[in-house]
Amino acid sequence: MATDLLPPSVTEPDGSAVVRVLSYNIRSMRDDRNALARVVRACEPDLVLIQEAPRFFRWRKKAAWLAAHSDLVVLGGGATAAGPLLLCSLRATVERTEDVLLPRTPGLHQRGFATAVVRIGGARLGVLSCHLSLQGEERYAQAGLLLDQLAAMGVTHAIAGGDLNDRPDGKSFQLLASSLQDCWAVAPWGGEYTSVPENPHQRIDAIFATEGVKVLGCGVPELPPADVRAATDHLPVLAAVRVPAGG
């Protein structure tokens, strides 16, 4: 499988950890759940940054279903973060989680961050999943709040990712890329465009890393086309990073 070409999860003798991170907008699991689970499972992630997780009736049960059928567990987020959700493998030891609701503009959707601090091997890592606004000014403000949130987490190394609703030449995307590593730009691997599965033509989903995290590869994995088209209306972004021990 094409995802095998990305470095596998491993803990190095010095305690540093190679971590596979997946970011994926799942459209509230309104499409083919089994195809969705197959896509996530095929990527063999340690951490999954979900956007548009189920938020209403029995949303916890749906999140638990996805985790179980993807060989993962629920880490945090969901409706309590207004949609962003975090899943993880048993490789991760959870230090803490926090769901953050962002200031809301009247008439627009509530937005939030799902965040956590985990330890994998000898590495300590902050994690943040986001889904930024469709409205430009609000989106730019949320990008700034994302940077503030990472700075406040008290970690040396962090990963943030999600559906930015912005392209690389947009103000919000560029604000994030000016302070963080845009993993695709640093180590492109696989495909670039994430929207839409039937005709990928734009990169509006991305994974970012703080300084000191070594990006080994990042992009859209090559997976069975029938599954990625049936699973949701975005393509997944998969990254492999090496996180130093400590932090």
Side-chain angles (χ1 to χ4, degrees):
M1 185 173 294
T3 58
D4 295 339
L5 301 176
L6 204 63
S9 303
V10 66
T11 300
E12 306 285 5
D14 65 356
S16 63
V18 175
V19 180
R20 288 168 71 109
V21 182
L22 179 69
S23 180
Y24 205 6
N25 183 318
I26 65 170
R27 201 162 73 146
S28 299
M29 295 175 64
R30 296 200 302 265
D31 301 290
D32 187 332
R33 292 187 185 184
N34 291 302
L36 176 63
R38 286 194 296 271
V39 169
V40 175
R41 193 166 58 244
C43 293
E44 299 181 335
D46 299 298
L47 299 167
V48 184
L49 285 51
I50 295 285
Q51 301 85 50
E52 288 194 38
R55 293 184 295 125
F56 301 110
F57 184 64
R58 293 184 175 174
W59 67 269
R60 288 184 176 87
K61 184 175 182 179
K62 294 173 183 176
W65 184 97
L66 178 59
H69 286 76
S70 306
D71 299 328
L72 301 166
V73 296
V74 175
L75 176 55
T80 49
L85 173 73
L86 297 174
L87 308 179
C88 67
S89 73
L90 295 179
R91 191 171 177 231
T93 299
V94 183
E95 185 175 304
R96 68 176 188 269
T97 65
E98 182 182 9
D99 300 333
V100 179
L101 294 178
L102 302 179
R104 182 178 182 180
T105 302
L108 298 180
H109 290 297
Q110 176 71 63
R111 304 282 177 171
F113 301 144
T115 77
V117 177
V118 302
R119 294 181 182 271
I120 299 178
R124 183 169 181 256
L125 182 65
V127 188
L128 184 151
S129 176
C130 69
H131 187 185
L132 302 188
S133 177
L134 288 166
Q135 200 277 334
E137 291 184 7
E138 184 181 52
R139 180 170 61 243
Y140 186 75
Q142 290 169 354
L145 292 172
L146 188 158
L147 296 175
D148 292 344
Q149 183 67 33
L150 290 182
M153 289 176 71
V155 294
T156 304
H157 305 112
I159 291 288
D163 180 350
L164 305 183
N165 278 316
D166 203 20
R167 298 177 181 181
D169 60 353
K171 285 177 53 181
S172 301
F173 200 119
Q174 290 187 348
L175 178 62
L176 296 176
S178 68
S179 297
L180 304 169
Q181 300 180 78
D182 173 4
C183 293
W184 160 261
V186 172
W189 166 90
E192 177 180 5
Y193 300 131
T194 63
S195 175
V196 290
E198 296 79 7
N199 178 31
H201 65 279
Q202 58 181 349
R203 182 162 75 99
I204 61 172
D205 305 84
I207 296 175
F208 296 90
T210 55
E211 183 179 353
V213 174
K214 175 68 174 178
V215 183
L216 305 176
C218 178
V220 175
E222 183 180 343
L223 295 166
D227 276 351
V228 295
R229 290 172 182 167
T232 180
D233 62 347
H234 284 243
L235 293 174
V237 182
L238 179 63
V241 300
R242 179 178 285 109
V243 185

